[in-house]
Amino acid sequence: MERAVVKAKRKELGISCMLNTEVGAVLAVIRRPISESYLSPQETDHCDSSVQQSLKSLRALIFNPQQEWRTIDPSVYLSPFLEVIQSDEIPASATAVALSSILKILKIEIFDEKSPGARDAMNSIVSGITSCRLEKTDSISEDAVMMRILQVLTGVMKHPASELLEDQAVCTIVNTCFQVVQQSAGRGDLLQRNGRYTMHELIQIIFSRLPDFEVRGEEGGEDSESDTDEIVMNSGYGIRCCIDIFHFLCSLLNVVEVVENSEGTSVHTADEDVQIFALVLINSAIELSGDAIGQHPKLLRMVQDDLFHHLIHYGASSSPLVLSMISSCILNIYHFLRKFVRLQLESFFSFVLLKVTAFTGFLQLQEVALEGLINFCRQPAFIVEAYVNYDCDPICRNVFEETGKVLCRHTFPTSGPLTSMQIQAFEGLVILIHNIADNMDREEDEGGEEEDANTIKPSPVEINEYIPFWIEKPKDDFETWVEHIRVRKAQKRKLAIAANHFNRDEKKGLEYLKYNHLVSDPPDPMALASFFRFTPGLDKTMIGDYLGDPDELHLSVLKSFTHTFEFTGMNLDTALRTFLESFRLPGESQKIERMIEAFSERFYDQQSSEIFASKDTVHILCYSLIMLNTDQHNPQVKKKMTEDEFIRNNRAINAGKDLPREYLSELFQSISTNAFALSTHSGPVEMNPNRWIELMNRTKTTQPLSMCQFDRRIGRDMFATIAGPSIAAVSAFFEHSDDDEVLHECVDAMISIARVAQYGLEDILDELIASFCKFTTLLNPYTTPEETLFAFSHDMKPRMATLAVFTLANSFGDSIRGGWRNIVDCLLKLRKLQLLPQSAIEFETTDEEALSETDVNMLASQENKFNRRQGSSLMGRFSHFLALDSVEESVALGMSEFEQNLKVIKQCRIGQIFSKSSVLPDVAVLNLGRSLIYAAAGKGQKFSTAIEEEETVKFCWDLIIAVALSNIHRFSMFWPSYHEYLLNVANFPLFSPIPFVEKGIPGLFKVCIKILASNLQDQLPEELIFRSITIMWKIDKEIIDTCYDTITEFVSRIITEHSASLQTQIGWKSVLQLLSLCGRHPETKEQAVDALIGLMSTNASHLSQSTYAYCIDCSFSFVALRNSAVEKNLTILDLMTESVTMLIQWYKTASTEITTMGNNNFSVASNASSSSSVEENSLRGVNFVHHLFLKLSEAFRKTTLARREEIRNRAVTSLERSFIMAHEDLGFTPSGCIYCIDHVIFPTIDDLHEKLLDYSRRENAEREMRSMEGTLKTAMKMLKNVFLHYLEQIVGSAEFRTFWLGVLRRMDTCMKADLGEYGDNMLQEVVPELLTIMIGTMKEKEILVQKEDDDLWEITYIQIQWIAPSLKDELFPDEDL
């Protein structure tokens, strides 16, 4: 405690010593004589008596204070020094010392804001210093004093008690400082620099406190002087002084200087030096105040109106430095206050930045404007906010789109070397593209994995209903709001198209509006009025003609049209100018009358003064102004109206009274100096006062600027507006640049474009790929392979472009559509140039083959998500590529040109495009396959030699199969289209069948085996692949013959390993037909026969009723071959016979179903139809089994005519066995049995008999004839056995009599066969024996007995007498004729 007391006393003593020293210094300077004539003794005495006395009084008090200095009223020790400063007789040197003393007092903070009298003391300091008198001094001393004044003013504002200063005092400080700056203009540069620095420092101090000011009641009116104001003023300076100071700073932008032009006349121009100074101060104020300005309405209105008006007015017509400062100021306002300056920002872009960049006169000014645009594009939120608030608003300009197109236009290189502006614009365009891409990726990251899996790419919006396009919806629900602004953007595009139609044909334009739901039906007058009012590019003459029409709808539209204007606060001439600028007055007086009447009514309703008594007054005066405009500005009018004449012409028009003369005089001067703008084209070219007043009126009804988060749908739409020019600009820049870093940036921009285009802009991605493919030099049709290879090997740009193209294919393949064709063409050209080693292509699929469709979809989602996020990391590959590209490093590493090329190709990861195609979406797979298939057909390809063509096409088929194998899980989706492509290319004149046979057909079989091995539940993939396999029948037989060994191998593998997976009819049919064909070739015959035997012996259970017939056909084709092995053919016949057991099983299954259906009593009506359907199916199954049995029997019947006896005899035996096995188990009806025998066994006998007779007529054919005779003998025995086996079953049939006659007839035919020169017929021995057995059996079973109503006995008796008379007595012993 004692130590603190000692320290406090030491401080108090130090203050006393300091004050004593300062008083002594001032007194010493005052007493010092400067010159004989400077001060007379009387004057010195006067100083001594007044100023010196107060200083001496202070000295007497200094070392005897009654209390601490902090508790003493500061005026006690400040007043003597202030008297010195304010004295007229004190020399400048003494004033300077007094100012230094006050500055020292302020710096050591002898008092603070809590000291008594601190408020009065601070205000007295300001008052004393700002009234400093320097009447008797030289310029040098005066400069020194003024610099000291600046220091003290700064010290005052930095002092803790400065918050007690009154608003007026603070304004005085700033004004004094500015006066010093102004007075120093003709003096030394040092004083002016110090003055400006001090001014800057004061503004920083004052406006840094603005965020701490509370919104007080004094802001309710401009000039209010309420009690609240006094309270606020007594509490220290606040928002009022900030408003005054900011208004003062804004006024500095309008300071003009008078200069003489080349003609010797004086011209008033803006003082650029003052403007720059003011802009620096305004920027500081905005930077330090931040968004606090928005909390104070008066200050905010000043920014919205005065400041922006000045900045826009001087922006387009100033120097580069001023424009740069203005752009910085606007950017600062955007950061803190953009919510409140939506329309002002649009005007700044329209009338300053975009206008200057479009003007080709002043290059430096263009560069500054371009840099201003780029600075805005650097702001993360600007592009989306500009698009949402302006581009998506039909009433506003397309700020984002025009900004992007300006950057593209200035980026596009000319014939010469790249200029600094082109490089600058390119950097801005790259920033813009990266900004969009990063925001879209950032949204993807924030969305999460679950959302990503179900994300649908944005698609263009459609206008399906009438929504008023001029009404903006508030942002309540974000999702609804996003769709709303997307619809508004679509409406805006349609409005532009409608404007084009309207300008050509009014009727078509209005019909287009209705068709696209932009106007309701019946038409809404406000919709048409808004279309005429806000749509740029409309023909103003046509608008005037429409609005002036007397039709009722047109009159309603005219009234609504006037309601789109806000005339509040406008003079009549300003309002009339604004109105007439929106259309061109028609020539018909009645139309003009209607338009002026509508305007007058609207203006009268919104007038803010009581000048006009009625709207009729406005109407009359408007006509007068239009006539005055014609009189003053029509060159054909020689005698111009004077002001007095104009006033006289408008007497007593205001309800019988005169309008104020001053008002009429003001109108006359306005019209005389500035004519009405009656342009026929739309769109303002400059910001005049009329438009500014209109803009400020619009701000009252326009919603604030929406500060929204980025949305992928918005990003997709906004980039679509600049995508085409962006790709063209980046491509052209890449083409004209040789700098490594620039090329790197071009590829980086290309990657970012792809990152954006993947979200629903597939056509843009295709365009990007097509654009960069041309830089690979691989697709140039006018260069030889040698030239292409040389360019690729010796130029970094083609290799870099190639790497970029294939990187896009790997990373964004899910969004590529038609671009696959370009990628495939590049790939094939690399193959032709031998730059694509086999090791660069990985055709083997990964473990994804074993995954389910769900797993593959999940993998695809993860893969695509990874690709979308790797945009920035992709450039690492290009950096490494650039680092290794120099020739010196390549030589140092011992790399040849070929090795360098291979290194690049390896980095392309071409194999992954195809091996990982399973993660591509359906559309991408379809387009990739289409490109490959058409390339395999030779479409668009030029080949030097046939070998080159063959190798390239083979390579294409390998790629096609690789894609198919990787996408088995969705084969049903893409292969129908692939099949159509295959059918199309197979008919091409240039189609190459040999590569298809060598690569395509084996590949299709590989896919087929993969499908069968996958055990898919869906049968469609199997059906699709076999349809494609059958395309081979379109190829010449000679070419197909060359690949039967491959076909046999695959078919055998399918039958041996995958017959259980064959589910379709076309699959079995194709396999067995191919197997049949393979069996006809000597090289593949044995393998084919073994495959068939294996199928029928081991895998017969895999056959179905629908495929059984194909197996029988195939079997018959084998046994019918002449040169096939007898043993295997006999085996096949035996297996065919055993297959009857399968028919029996199928029959029993179908019969069981019918029995079950018959036993079930369905009482519910709804089950009746289903049970009937099942029963019908079962009956069809039974009948189909009978049909298959006939198919099998027919095959045996045909085989009985084989050349080799062993085969024939076995076929007869097999036929007999089949009938015996099918007797009871196949459930033939009596008629069915007779039908089968009649259509199979009888023809067998007949065919063998005919063949026997045929051989008997040939020479030297006895051996063949006897062989055939033996077969016929066996067949006759077969007939007897089958007849006896089925006898009891068929005897009851009404057809039995006819059937029995057929048996006897064939016995008779064989019995009487004439063998000619070859001798006796051995059948004559067999037939009687067979007849004896059959008739004897029929007698035993009492089938052949004499009956009165049955003539079977009599007929048989007669036939036996004819066939074998010798048997009559034996068979019919008791009968006589």
Side-chain angles (χ1 to χ4, degrees):
M1 181 64 71
E2 293 181 0
R3 187 174 180 181
V5 172
V6 172
K7 184 177 180 180
K9 288 183 177 180
R10 186 186 304 120
K11 181 178 180 181
E12 294 292 316
L13 181 61
I15 293 174
S16 300
C17 292
M18 184 274 294
L19 290 174
N20 182 62
T21 302
E22 296 301 320
V23 170
V26 174
L27 288 173
V29 175
I30 291 176
R31 295 187 184 114
R32 183 179 63 188
I34 299 178
S35 63
E36 291 79 2
S37 59
Y38 186 70
L39 286 175
S40 64
Q42 293 80 11
E43 291 173 335
T44 304
D45 294 341
H46 177 72
C47 292
D48 182 74
S49 61
S50 58
V51 178
Q52 293 186 30
Q53 186 61 40
S54 64
L55 289 170
K56 291 177 181 179
S57 300
L58 175 59
R59 174 175 278 180
L61 178 66
I62 288 175
F63 289 102
N64 298 290
Q66 301 300 319
Q67 51 192 346
E68 294 183 3
W69 285 106
R70 188 174 299 278
T71 61
I72 298 176
D73 188 342
S75 299
V76 173
Y77 46 83
L78 287 175
S79 297
F81 297 105
L82 293 175
E83 291 178 7
V84 173
I85 294 171
Q86 292 175 304
S87 176
D88 296 338
E89 305 298 333
I90 296 298
S93 56
T95 302
V97 174
L99 288 169
S100 298
S101 300
I102 293 178
L103 181 61
K104 185 177 292 186
I105 291 172
L106 293 172
K107 284 187 174 181
I108 65 175
E109 300 180 3
I110 297 177
F111 68 95
D112 55 22
E113 68 277 9
K114 296 181 180 180
S115 300
R119 178 187 301 278
D120 295 334
M122 292 295 292
N123 286 292
S124 64
I125 293 175
V126 175
S127 176
I129 292 176
T130 55
S131 60
C132 177
R133 307 296 294 273
L134 296 173
E135 296 183 0
K136 295 183 177 181
T137 182
D138 56 86
S139 59
I140 298 177
S141 300
E142 185 175 346
D143 287 353
V145 173
M146 293 177 71
M147 292 182 66
R148 196 59 54 87
I149 289 175
L150 295 174
Q151 294 175 354
V152 175
L153 292 177
T154 305
V156 169
M157 293 305 301
K158 289 183 176 180
H159 195 272
S162 63
E163 63 183 29
L164 302 176
L165 289 171
E166 299 175 354
D167 289 308
Q168 184 62 38
V170 175
C171 292
T172 303
I173 291 174
V174 174
N175 186 53
T176 302
C177 185
F178 181 73
Q179 288 180 3
V180 172
V181 174
Q182 289 297 95
Q183 293 175 13
S184 63
R187 302 189 181 187
D189 185 58
L190 180 62
L191 178 60
Q192 189 176 44
R193 287 179 180 271
N194 273 279
R196 294 196 172 196
Y197 175 78
T198 303
M199 187 84 171
H200 197 186
E201 199 168 9
L202 291 175
I203 296 299
Q204 288 179 329
I205 294 171
I206 295 169
F207 282 90
S208 63
R209 286 193 59 198
L210 182 63
D212 300 327
F213 294 158
E214 296 182 3
V215 181
R216 299 284 186 173
E218 83 277 5
E219 298 187 52
E222 293 287 343
D223 302 312
S224 61
E225 294 291 342
S226 62
D227 294 338
T228 307
D229 295 336
E230 296 299 327
I231 295 174
V232 174
M233 291 177 64
N234 292 335
S235 64
Y237 76 92
I239 186 62
R240 173 166 295 186
C241 74
C242 291
I243 293 173
D244 294 339
I245 293 171
F246 199 83
H247 183 270
F248 169 70
L249 297 179
C250 291
S251 68
L252 294 180
L253 296 173
N254 261 338
V255 175
V256 297
E257 58 180 349
V258 181
V259 296
E260 292 188 0
N261 57 19
S262 57
E263 299 177 357
T265 59
S266 298
V267 179
H268 293 267
T269 62
D271 190 336
E272 183 176 312
D273 187 57
V274 177
Q275 280 186 334
I276 295 174
F277 178 52
L279 286 169
V280 171
L281 298 179
I282 291 172
N283 270 332
S284 294
I286 295 174
E287 290 164 359
L288 293 168
S289 302
D291 56 359
I293 295 177
Q295 302 173 7
H296 304 283
K298 287 184 180 179
L299 196 57
L300 178 60
R301 285 196 296 270
M302 201 175 299
V303 173
Q304 292 172 323
D305 194 348
D306 296 346
L307 178 59
F308 255 102
H309 193 189
H310 293 324
L311 295 180
I312 293 174
H313 176 72
Y314 291 109
S317 58
S318 58
S319 66
L321 180 58
V322 173
L323 179 57
S324 177
M325 294 297 300
I326 289 176
S327 298
S328 299
C329 184
I330 298 292
L331 184 60
N332 291 335
I333 295 175
Y334 166 78
H335 278 299
F336 299 114
L337 303 171
R338 60 181 180 272
K339 179 180 179 181
F340 308 101
V341 291
R342 176 180 178 181
L343 297 182
Q344 291 86 341
L345 283 173
E346 179 198 5
S347 297
F348 177 72
F349 279 96
S350 300
F351 295 103
V352 181
L353 294 184
L354 295 175
K355 180 180 177 181
V356 172
T357 52
F359 180 65
T360 58
F362 196 0
L363 186 61
Q364 288 79 9
L365 197 64
Q366 273 189 310
E367 289 183 351
V368 173
L370 200 61
E371 181 60 36
L373 285 175
I374 296 172
N375 282 335
F376 273 97
C377 293
R378 288 191 175 98
Q379 313 313 312
F382 168 75
I383 57 173
V384 64
E385 290 177 353
Y387 179 79
V388 166
N389 289 279
Y390 305 121
D391 293 56
C392 293
D393 191 339
I395 301 177
C396 296
R397 191 167 177 176
N398 293 326
V399 173
F400 167 78
E401 181 178 351
E402 293 187 35
T403 299
K405 290 181 177 178
V406 162
L407 294 175
C408 293
R409 184 172 66 251
H410 286 286
T411 297
F412 216 92
T414 55
S415 56
L418 297 176
T419 64
S420 59
M421 181 179 290
Q422 289 168 345
I423 296 175
Q424 182 185 28
F426 171 72
E427 292 175 352
L429 180 60
V430 170
I431 290 172
L432 187 68
I433 295 171
H434 289 336
N435 196 331
I436 299 175
D438 292 342
N439 275 301
M440 297 189 84
D441 288 346
R442 189 177 300 115
E443 188 198 358
E444 181 75 22
D445 294 337
E446 293 173 356
E449 295 183 4
E450 182 175 350
E451 179 181 341
D452 179 76
N454 301 319
T455 298
I456 300 176
K457 292 185 178 181
S459 58
V461 296
E462 296 182 359
I463 306 173
N464 298 317
E465 59 179 340
Y466 168 64
I467 301 175
F469 61 84
W470 64 94
I471 299 177
E472 190 172 7
K473 183 178 180 180
K475 188 174 67 174
D476 298 328
D477 177 67
F478 181 74
E479 287 296 321
T480 306
W481 178 77
V482 168
E483 290 303 319
H484 170 69
I485 62 171
R486 295 188 73 204
V487 169
R488 295 197 82 201
K489 179 60 178 176
Q491 290 175 325
K492 190 174 185 178
R493 287 194 296 267
K494 297 293 184 181
L495 287 171
I497 299 173
N500 188 25
H501 286 300
F502 181 84
N503 291 341
R504 291 181 293 176
D505 188 321
E506 174 186 313
K507 185 177 180 181
K508 288 184 178 179
L510 298 180
E511 287 177 353
Y512 184 84
L513 289 173
K514 291 181 180 179
Y515 179 78
N516 288 281
H517 307 288
L518 297 172
V519 173
S520 60
D521 191 10
D524 179 6
M526 181 53 75
L528 291 173
S530 300
F531 170 68
F532 294 136
R533 177 77 169 89
F534 301 115
T535 305
L538 282 174
D539 189 325
K540 291 187 177 182
T541 301
M542 298 187 68
I543 297 176
D545 291 337
Y546 185 92
L547 296 177
D549 194 280
D551 183 79
E552 182 179 353
L553 174 62
H554 292 235
L555 293 176
S556 300
V557 173
L558 174 60
K559 184 176 181 179
S560 299
F561 184 78
T562 58
H563 280 75
T564 62
F565 292 87
E566 289 292 335
F567 297 132
T568 305
M570 290 188 182
N571 291 331
L572 179 60
D573 65 315
T574 301
L576 189 57
R577 290 178 191 275
T578 303
F579 183 67
L580 295 179
E581 284 176 355
S582 60
F583 62 93
R584 185 173 180 85
L585 273 175
E588 188 178 340
S589 60
Q590 292 180 349
K591 291 185 177 181
I592 297 176
E593 169 74 21
R594 285 187 285 271
M595 292 179 170
I596 297 303
E597 182 180 357
F599 166 79
S600 302
E601 183 177 352
R602 178 66 173 172
F603 180 81
Y604 179 77
D605 292 341
Q606 291 188 323
Q607 67 165 329
S608 56
S609 63
E610 300 297 331
I611 295 178
F612 303 105
S614 66
K615 67 178 182 180
D616 294 335
T617 306
V618 179
H619 189 191
I620 296 171
L621 191 55
C622 285
Y623 253 111
S624 182
L625 291 177
I626 292 174
M627 294 174 63
L628 175 64
N629 181 77
T630 304
D631 177 87
Q632 297 292 309
H633 301 287
N634 192 332
Q636 296 180 357
V637 179
K638 303 303 180 183
K639 185 180 179 181
K640 306 295 183 182
M641 185 185 301
T642 64
E643 182 178 336
D644 290 336
E645 290 174 338
F646 174 73
I647 295 174
R648 186 169 56 252
N649 292 338
N650 290 285
R651 287 178 180 173
I653 64 173
N654 193 21
K657 298 180 181 180
D658 292 342
L659 290 168
R661 182 180 181 87
E662 297 78 11
Y663 187 79
L664 293 175
S665 177
E666 183 181 343
L667 292 177
F668 179 86
Q669 295 299 328
S670 174
I671 300 300
S672 298
T673 56
N674 188 13
F676 288 142
L678 300 175
S679 173
T680 58
H681 62 274
S682 176
V685 293
E686 63 180 6
M687 175 57 76
N688 54 35
N690 306 344
R691 294 194 181 94
W692 186 257
I693 295 174
E694 182 188 7
L695 182 143
M696 293 307 299
N697 286 334
R698 280 180 56 200
T699 58
K700 300 174 184 177
T701 58
T702 303
Q703 291 193 17
L705 185 139
S706 297
M707 294 181 287
C708 63
Q709 66 192 60
F710 198 92
D711 185 85
R712 188 183 305 154
R713 292 164 290 179
I714 298 175
R716 178 246 179 231
D717 293 345
M718 65 191 297
F719 186 74
T721 61
I722 63 168
S726 298
I727 293 174
V730 172
S731 300
F733 212 80
F734 183 84
E735 182 179 9
H736 284 77
S737 177
D738 294 321
D739 182 75
D740 291 356
E741 188 62 29
V742 173
L743 294 178
H744 183 284
E745 291 180 1
C746 288
V747 177
D748 198 359
M750 181 187 71
I751 297 295
S752 290
I753 291 175
R755 288 160 58 196
V756 178
Q758 66 180 325
Y759 296 105
L761 294 174
E762 291 80 6
D763 54 336
I764 301 301
L765 186 57
D766 292 340
E767 181 183 350
L768 177 68
I769 291 174
S771 179
F772 261 78
C773 278
K774 68 180 182 180
F775 299 121
T776 63
T777 69
L778 298 174
L779 304 183
N780 189 346
Y782 302 105
T783 58
T784 63
E786 293 76 14
E787 293 173 340
T788 303
L789 184 59
F790 181 85
F792 190 87
S793 302
H794 293 82
D795 190 357
M796 178 185 66
K797 197 177 295 184
R799 287 184 282 177
M800 195 171 184
T802 302
L803 180 57
V805 168
F806 285 107
T807 299
L808 289 182
N810 272 295
S811 303
F812 306 101
D814 57 337
S815 300
I816 299 175
R817 300 296 181 261
W820 284 116
R821 183 59 190 272
N822 300 95
I823 296 172
V824 169
D825 289 344
C826 288
L827 183 61
L828 297 183
K829 191 59 177 287
L830 288 173
R831 177 81 175 186
K832 293 179 186 178
L833 297 176
Q834 298 181 351
L835 292 178
L836 194 65
Q838 190 66 25
S839 58
I841 306 289
E842 301 174 0
F843 293 126
E844 294 300 327
T845 54
T846 61
D847 293 339
E848 298 165 13
E849 298 178 8
L851 300 177
S852 65
E853 184 173 354
T854 304
D855 296 331
V856 173
N857 290 337
M858 185 179 300
L859 178 64
S861 174
Q862 296 173 352
E863 182 77 14
N864 293 337
K865 187 172 183 179
F866 171 76
N867 288 339
R868 286 193 288 268
R869 296 179 180 178
Q870 66 176 349
S872 57
S873 63
L874 288 175
M875 294 317 302
R877 183 178 305 109
F878 290 96
S879 302
H880 181 67
F881 174 74
L882 291 173
L884 292 180
D885 193 71
S886 65
V887 177
E888 293 78 5
E889 292 186 4
S890 299
V891 173
L893 293 174
M895 296 174 62
S896 63
E897 288 183 1
F898 181 74
E899 291 174 335
Q900 294 179 52
N901 293 336
L902 291 185
K903 185 176 182 64
V904 175
I905 301 305
K906 184 177 181 181
Q907 289 177 319
C908 290
R909 299 178 298 137
I910 297 174
Q912 292 188 21
I913 299 175
F914 305 97
S915 63
K916 291 189 176 182
S917 61
S918 59
V919 300
L920 295 178
D922 298 347
V923 181
V925 173
L926 290 174
N927 282 276
L928 173 58
R930 184 179 189 276
S931 300
L932 290 171
I933 291 172
Y934 278 91
K939 187 175 183 181
Q941 300 291 322
K942 294 183 178 179
F943 303 102
S944 302
T945 64
I947 296 177
E948 178 185 315
E949 175 186 2
E950 186 173 329
E951 291 299 321
T952 303
V953 174
K954 287 181 181 179
F955 178 64
C956 291
W957 285 116
D958 284 338
L959 297 180
I960 296 168
I961 300 307
V963 172
L965 290 174
S966 297
N967 292 274
I968 295 296
H969 61 283
R970 49 177 171 177
F971 194 82
S972 302
M973 179 281 303
F974 69 88
W975 197 260
S977 298
Y978 279 28
H979 179 72
E980 293 298 323
Y981 304 150
L982 288 172
L983 289 177
N984 291 336
V985 302
N987 295 321
F988 282 0
L990 299 178
F991 178 67
S992 302
I994 296 177
F996 175 70
V997 169
E998 293 184 4
K999 288 290 185 177
I1001 292 178
L1004 293 177
F1005 275 113
K1006 288 181 181 178
V1007 174
C1008 178
I1009 291 176
K1010 178 70 176 297
I1011 291 173
L1012 296 176
S1014 301
N1015 295 318
L1016 302 177
Q1017 297 297 323
D1018 188 9
Q1019 298 182 6
L1020 184 57
E1022 178 186 328
E1023 183 177 343
L1024 291 172
I1025 191 62
F1026 277 110
R1027 285 182 185 175
S1028 298
I1029 290 175
T1030 56
I1031 293 178
M1032 61 185 292
W1033 306 132
K1034 293 179 176 290
I1035 300 175
D1036 292 340
K1037 182 178 180 300
E1038 292 76 8
I1039 299 177
I1040 290 292
D1041 288 344
T1042 61
C1043 68
Y1044 267 114
D1045 53 345
T1046 304
I1047 296 175
T1048 305
E1049 179 182 351
F1050 280 108
V1051 170
S1052 299
R1053 183 178 173 187
I1054 291 173
I1055 291 176
T1056 305
E1057 301 177 9
H1058 304 289
S1059 58
S1061 301
L1062 274 174
Q1063 305 175 44
T1064 63
Q1065 187 172 348
I1066 188 176
W1068 279 104
K1069 180 180 179 181
S1070 301
V1071 168
L1072 293 171
Q1073 283 182 346
L1074 289 172
L1075 188 64
S1076 176
L1077 291 175
C1078 295
R1080 300 176 185 178
H1081 287 261
E1083 297 83 0
T1084 60
K1085 177 180 59 177
E1086 294 297 328
Q1087 186 178 359
V1089 171
D1090 292 339
L1092 178 64
I1093 293 174
L1095 170 64
M1096 299 187 69
S1097 59
T1098 307
N1099 300 316
S1101 59
H1102 301 146
L1103 294 172
S1104 65
Q1105 296 183 38
S1106 58
T1107 59
Y1108 178 82
Y1110 303 127
C1111 181
I1112 297 302
D1113 290 338
C1114 180
S1115 302
F1116 171 72
S1117 67
F1118 277 105
V1119 297
L1121 294 176
R1122 298 180 180 181
N1123 55 352
S1124 57
V1126 175
E1127 297 79 6
K1128 292 186 177 181
N1129 283 357
L1130 296 178
T1131 303
I1132 292 174
L1133 288 172
D1134 292 340
L1135 292 173
M1136 291 172 66
T1137 305
E1138 294 298 327
S1139 68
V1140 176
T1141 57
M1142 298 171 56
L1143 298 178
I1144 294 172
Q1145 182 62 40
W1146 292 334
Y1147 172 79
K1148 290 181 178 179
T1149 301
S1151 300
T1152 303
E1153 292 177 357
I1154 295 175
T1155 303
T1156 303
M1157 292 299 300
N1159 294 333
N1160 290 333
N1161 184 15
F1162 292 92
S1163 59
V1164 182
S1166 60
N1167 290 333
S1169 60
S1170 61
S1171 62
S1172 175
S1173 175
V1174 173
E1175 187 173 359
E1176 290 178 3
N1177 292 334
S1178 300
L1179 288 173
R1180 282 199 296 269
V1182 169
N1183 295 332
F1184 190 66
V1185 171
H1186 293 166
H1187 168 74
L1188 294 179
F1189 177 79
L1190 284 175
K1191 182 79 174 179
L1192 174 64
S1193 302
E1194 185 69 18
F1196 286 137
R1197 184 190 69 79
K1198 294 178 181 179
T1199 310
T1200 57
L1201 299 176
R1203 292 182 61 88
R1204 289 179 289 186
E1205 185 178 4
E1206 300 91 334
I1207 303 298
R1208 291 198 308 270
N1209 293 339
R1210 183 62 63 88
V1212 173
T1213 305
S1214 298
L1215 181 59
E1216 179 183 347
R1217 288 179 57 198
S1218 300
F1219 269 86
I1220 300 302
M1221 293 171 65
H1223 173 217
E1224 295 180 356
D1225 295 332
L1226 282 185
F1228 282 117
T1229 62
S1231 298
C1233 295
I1234 293 174
Y1235 179 86
C1236 291
I1237 298 172
D1238 193 27
H1239 283 77
V1240 178
I1241 297 181
F1242 284 177
T1244 301
I1245 302 296
D1246 296 340
D1247 292 342
L1248 289 174
H1249 176 262
E1250 183 178 353
K1251 200 71 174 175
L1252 175 65
L1253 295 180
D1254 180 58
Y1255 279 122
S1256 67
R1257 300 186 189 101
R1258 298 181 186 180
E1259 295 181 359
N1260 301 321
E1262 184 176 2
R1263 187 174 64 84
E1264 292 83 357
M1265 187 271 295
R1266 294 301 177 187
S1267 174
M1268 189 61 67
E1269 185 182 29
T1271 304
L1272 181 56
K1273 178 181 177 181
T1274 306
M1276 295 299 293
K1277 293 179 180 179
M1278 172 197 66
L1279 175 60
K1280 179 264 297 184
N1281 294 335
V1282 171
F1283 174 79
L1284 295 178
H1285 205 80
Y1286 282 85
L1287 179 59
E1288 292 183 0
Q1289 185 175 357
I1290 65 178
V1291 71
S1293 173
E1295 302 171 0
F1296 178 74
R1297 178 177 178 278
T1298 304
F1299 171 72
W1300 172 240
L1301 289 176
V1303 173
L1304 295 176
R1305 184 163 55 253
R1306 280 152 183 85
M1307 292 290 179
D1308 179 57
T1309 301
C1310 294
M1311 183 72 178
K1312 298 176 179 179
D1314 184 9
L1315 301 184
E1317 63 181 9
Y1318 292 115
D1320 297 334
N1321 178 6
M1322 292 187 297
L1323 294 175
Q1324 293 177 353
E1325 300 176 0
V1326 176
V1327 171
E1329 179 182 350
L1330 298 177
L1331 285 173
T1332 301
I1333 296 174
M1334 288 189 290
I1335 292 175
T1337 304
M1338 292 173 69
K1339 286 182 177 182
E1340 290 178 5
K1341 297 181 180 294
E1342 296 183 351
I1343 296 173
L1344 191 62
V1345 294
Q1346 289 182 327
K1347 298 180 182 178
E1348 293 182 0
D1349 55 347
D1350 188 359
D1351 61 350
L1352 184 63
W1353 174 276
E1354 182 179 354
I1355 292 174
T1356 304
Y1357 178 78
I1358 295 172
Q1359 288 295 325
I1360 290 299
Q1361 283 187 322
W1362 181 260
I1363 299 171
S1366 59
L1367 295 179
K1368 180 176 72 77
D1369 295 334
E1370 180 182 352
L1371 297 177
F1372 303 98
D1374 299 330
E1375 284 294 326
D1376 295 324
L1377 289 176

